[in-house]
Amino acid sequence: MLRTFETHKIRKTTELSGRLWDFTALSGDKEGVSMKVMVPSCLETYPGFGNYRGLASYETSFEAEGNIRLEFKGVSHFARVFVDGEETAQHYGSYTPFDICVKNLSPGMHSLKVIVDNDFRDEYVLDFPNDYMSYGGISRGVALEYIKDIYIDWIHVTPLREADGIWSIRAEVACQNLSESPLYADVRLKFLDTEACCQGKLLPPGKSIITFEDLEIADACPWSMEDPVLYPVSAALLQNGAVVDDMIERTGLRLVRVEGTSVLLNNKPLRIKGFCRHEDHPQYGCALPAEAIAYDLQLIKDLGANSVRTSHYPNDELFLDMCDELGILVWEENHARGINGDRMKSPYFEEQCEQVIREMITAHYNHPSIYIWGILNECGSETEYEKSCYRRQYDLIRHLDKSRPCSSASCRFGTDICQDLPDVCSWNIYPYWYDDDTASQKLQKLHDWLNTDGNGGGKPLLITEVGAGGIYGFRDTSSDVWSEDLQAEILEKQLKEIAASDDCIGMYIWQFCDVRVSRIWWALRRPKSRNNKGIVDEYRRPKLAYRIVRDIFTSLPNYREK
């Protein structure tokens, strides 16, 4: 399952995932071990491969002729793609999609091989032993599409304004010409009863972007948390009056902006009640099937939350589709956690961060649930060089998407010199757990510092991590460390104090579920090799804190007073 809705009516599409592929390990003491595995999946979930690092191949076959497009929703960490034995693409980036086109295939069966590498290498700057598991494999879906010489690459819809029930939007349609000569085509766009056409457009070889400005959409309802109305938007390419390609996207109409110390959704100031969530499950690794994703979101809704932070990487588009449908706000961020010093100075660092940003925003632009983009969680922010990285990445986001704010979660109180750059000042705090301060004291110190030496005054303040650890099943009358009892007590104090603050627009609990951490990262300080701060454990069994969080979150409205 690739999406929760149909994306083409004309273009023939086949899913190559959702079936067994041939897997073979290519490194270490597992070299040569082969088995049939389901794709998508993570190789660390295969029997005997729990701590495997190295190269592996995935192979399957497909029937086609002519031009094809292969889209990979996610391959970790590094992928080399071979069609009929010929290498056609390479891609680094575990959590963003990439595609390749192969022209003029002869009729018949063809082979597809993907060699993946989940090792930790200097050139893979974003993947290293960390406080979450860096899984390997083809971890998201794979699509095979049959295309002509020209096809539609993507559609982006931007709500501009709303007045008297009429919305104004801008729509962009990216078209690809695979031939070596310019080709003429008509480009048609439809959104509800509004239709627009660019006739006789000359498409040179490569990519062209056709823009439709200030289209008026009448009789449309806004997307909101309470009523997440979604609409299809379709584009078609025509040659000589015949449709040769099409694409269907889905979006919702809503406006997000920052005003003073508030983030407004459709002119209402948001109160964020959220969870940080890793894509992680003992059975599936980061390749959660649709049913498991839906169950997570059911629990998150039951807990009274209205938002999820995709820590610390872009998430599967199935997750975003479901958040669109359920009215759950999403903070989505690029893939970078805890990187500083020499690692940020790697010649690969900025290039790879910016690649993730481009691929994330291009692929996920139309999701109304995404209200903010995040970058560089707890990364270095104390030197001018580090600040230059933040500046470049914020500039890129604002170039690609002017309709959403951007931010980064920091933990470097008193030394962070980057707080003048984001639209929202976002902080990870752990009062009563790592910090000696209460939550109220920490918030007051943050507010005072941001308004003076921190250079973040007058902006919204958002707590992007807060929480405490608790091991499922460990109950203790003295509320000892790692007990469910202590976790529940700490969370109750944290959440109530943050909710009472007039200076803070909300919070994300760290975290939704317990997750596996890299074996060689802080192993002695993570019992069970898990980050155990989840409100549910790795199998989604609720801890003692579940009821307390639900009571507090459900008592808080989705919006704050201005």
Side-chain angles (χ1 to χ4, degrees):
M1 184 177 182
L2 299 173
R3 302 295 299 274
T4 64
F5 61 95
E6 185 178 32
T7 56
H8 303 280
K9 291 186 180 296
I10 301 299
R11 186 189 306 179
K12 182 182 176 183
T13 301
T14 300
E15 183 179 355
L16 296 182
S17 47
R19 68 190 200 192
L20 294 172
W21 290 38
D22 294 313
F23 168 84
T24 304
L26 303 177
S27 300
D29 59 1
K30 296 290 185 181
E31 183 175 358
V33 175
S34 298
M35 66 183 83
K36 297 279 188 180
V37 301
M38 180 63 71
V39 168
S41 59
C42 297
L43 62 88
E44 294 87 351
T45 64
Y46 308 156
F49 281 81
N51 293 295
Y52 181 84
R53 293 284 168 194
L55 299 172
S57 73
Y58 292 80
E59 297 183 63
T60 191
S61 59
F62 60 90
E63 186 173 8
E65 66 175 300
N67 301 336
I68 65 165
R69 176 179 179 268
L70 292 165
E71 182 179 20
F72 296 85
K73 298 289 188 178
V75 181
S76 182
H77 307 153
F78 183 75
R80 298 173 62 197
V81 181
F82 300 79
V83 176
D84 293 336
E86 181 177 345
E87 186 167 359
T88 57
Q90 295 184 1
H91 181 265
Y92 171 70
S94 305
Y95 304 103
T96 47
F98 67 98
D99 65 272
I100 59 173
C101 293
V102 182
K103 297 166 56 177
N104 302 321
L105 284 178
S106 59
M109 297 299 297
H110 300 272
S111 66
L112 173 61
K113 176 191 286 189
V114 182
I115 294 180
V116 307
D117 184 7
N118 75 334
D119 209 349
F120 297 130
R121 304 184 189 276
D122 290 342
E123 59 267 35
Y124 305 162
V125 179
L126 307 182
D127 291 283
F128 58 99
N130 218 319
D131 199 13
Y132 58 93
M133 186 66 175
S134 294
Y135 291 99
I138 304 177
S139 56
R140 295 180 184 169
V142 183
L144 166 65
E145 299 177 346
Y146 304 86
I147 55 176
K148 306 295 185 180
D149 283 343
I150 55 173
Y151 69 95
I152 298 170
D153 195 14
W154 49 256
I155 307 169
H156 286 173
V157 175
T158 307
L160 300 175
R161 55 190 172 273
E162 185 272 337
D164 300 324
I166 298 177
W167 285 81
S168 176
I169 68 167
R170 179 178 65 254
E172 297 172 293
V173 180
C175 302
Q176 288 279 3
N177 179 357
L178 297 179
S179 74
E180 297 178 358
S181 304
L183 297 173
Y184 284 95
D186 297 341
V187 183
R188 291 183 182 175
L189 183 86
K190 183 174 183 180
F191 191 125
L192 289 178
D193 293 329
T194 299
E195 296 189 43
C197 183
C198 178
Q199 292 184 319
K201 179 68 177 178
L202 183 64
L203 303 177
K207 180 177 289 187
S208 301
I209 297 177
I210 293 87
T211 301
F212 299 91
E213 294 281 5
D214 279 325
L215 297 177
E216 289 191 348
I217 311 297
D219 301 321
C221 297
W223 183 96
S224 66
M225 292 181 282
E226 298 76 20
D227 191 13
V229 180
L230 296 167
Y231 295 107
V233 54
S234 61
L237 282 177
L238 294 86
Q239 289 184 303
N240 301 318
V243 178
V244 296
D245 192 45
D246 75 326
M247 177 174 285
I248 303 166
E249 262 290 0
R250 191 179 68 176
T251 193
L253 299 175
R254 88 288 178 271
L255 297 172
V256 181
R257 63 187 175 90
V258 172
E259 183 180 277
T261 58
S262 295
V263 177
L264 306 182
L265 176 68
N266 298 329
N267 293 317
K268 295 181 179 180
L270 287 171
R271 181 195 299 274
I272 297 299
K273 307 176 293 178
F275 288 96
C276 298
R277 174 184 173 271
H278 273 293
E279 292 180 318
D280 193 275
H281 193 284
Q283 289 175 267
Y284 313 116
C286 67
L288 277 71
E291 295 81 1
I293 295 171
Y295 184 63
D296 280 0
L297 291 173
Q298 288 172 336
L299 292 177
I300 286 167
K301 292 281 284 188
D302 182 64
L303 281 156
N306 62 13
S307 187
V308 175
R309 178 179 172 222
T310 68
S311 48
H312 297 293
Y313 38 77
N315 269 205
D316 192 322
E317 202 154 23
L318 279 172
F319 166 83
L320 298 173
D321 283 345
M322 293 182 198
C323 288
D324 291 342
E325 296 172 17
L326 293 169
I328 297 174
L329 297 172
V330 175
W331 161 311
E332 187 166 50
E333 62 190 35
N334 72 342
H335 182 205
R337 184 226 168 258
I339 302 174
N340 55 25
D342 290 341
R343 200 167 190 89
M344 285 184 76
K345 294 179 180 179
S346 162
Y348 304 103
F349 173 75
E350 189 62 29
E351 173 188 347
Q352 291 174 0
C353 284
E354 291 185 21
Q355 175 186 318
V356 174
I357 289 170
R358 287 190 186 91
E359 293 174 343
M360 172 179 72
I361 293 179
T362 299
H364 297 166
Y365 190 93
N366 294 315
H367 291 280
S369 57
I370 299 174
Y371 78 103
I372 190 169
W373 301 113
I375 59 170
L376 301 178
N377 174 75
E378 294 187 354
C379 290
S381 56
E382 299 164 315
T383 69
E384 287 298 330
Y385 174 80
E386 291 167 343
K387 186 171 185 176
S388 72
C389 297
Y390 285 79
R391 183 180 290 108
R392 287 179 59 178
Q393 293 180 40
Y394 283 134
D395 287 348
L396 177 60
I397 290 174
R398 289 165 177 145
H399 171 72
L400 295 171
D401 183 9
K402 296 177 175 61
S403 70
R404 294 175 174 94
C406 47
S407 187
S408 54
S410 178
C411 63
R412 299 168 190 264
F413 175 70
T415 59
D416 188 313
I417 64 170
C418 301
Q419 292 301 298
D420 58 322
L421 299 177
D423 300 307
V424 176
C425 294
S426 303
W427 286 84
N428 300 342
I429 64 172
Y430 288 88
Y432 304 106
W433 183 250
Y434 297 135
D435 299 336
D436 293 331
D437 290 333
T438 67
S440 298
Q441 290 169 336
K442 189 69 174 181
L443 286 172
Q444 187 62 53
K445 289 180 179 179
L446 270 172
H447 178 266
D448 293 345
W449 177 73
L450 287 168
N451 280 275
T452 54
D453 297 339
N455 295 319
K459 298 180 182 181
L461 172 61
L462 178 60
I463 299 304
T464 32
E465 289 183 21
V466 67
I471 296 175
Y472 178 82
F474 174 33
R475 299 294 304 277
D476 186 79
T477 55
S478 60
S479 297
D480 207 349
V481 175
W482 299 115
S483 69
E484 289 189 46
D485 309 78
L486 180 61
Q487 182 192 35
E489 292 172 14
I490 289 176
L491 273 161
E492 183 171 20
K493 290 187 287 187
Q494 289 171 336
L495 302 192
K496 286 183 176 179
E497 291 176 34
I498 294 171
S501 171
D502 293 331
D503 299 323
C504 183
I505 68 167
M507 71 203 90
Y508 287 96
I509 294 174
W510 185 269
Q511 58 185 327
F512 168 64
C513 65
D514 293 347
V515 300
R516 187 179 175 188
V517 304
S518 292
R519 187 181 192 184
I520 55 178
W521 188 89
W522 234 19
L524 297 179
R525 299 179 68 177
R526 289 287 184 257
K528 299 169 53 183
S529 294
R530 298 283 189 277
N531 188 313
N532 297 289
K533 295 187 181 73
I535 304 304
V536 298
D537 78 346
E538 61 268 38
Y539 292 101
R540 281 50 176 176
R541 296 176 296 187
K543 300 180 188 177
L544 190 61
Y546 188 104
R547 188 179 300 276
I548 288 171
V549 172
R550 181 171 60 182
D551 288 346
I552 294 172
F553 272 4
T554 55
S555 71
L556 297 172
N558 286 331
Y559 304 97
R560 303 165 66 236
E561 294 183 6
K562 286 190 178 180

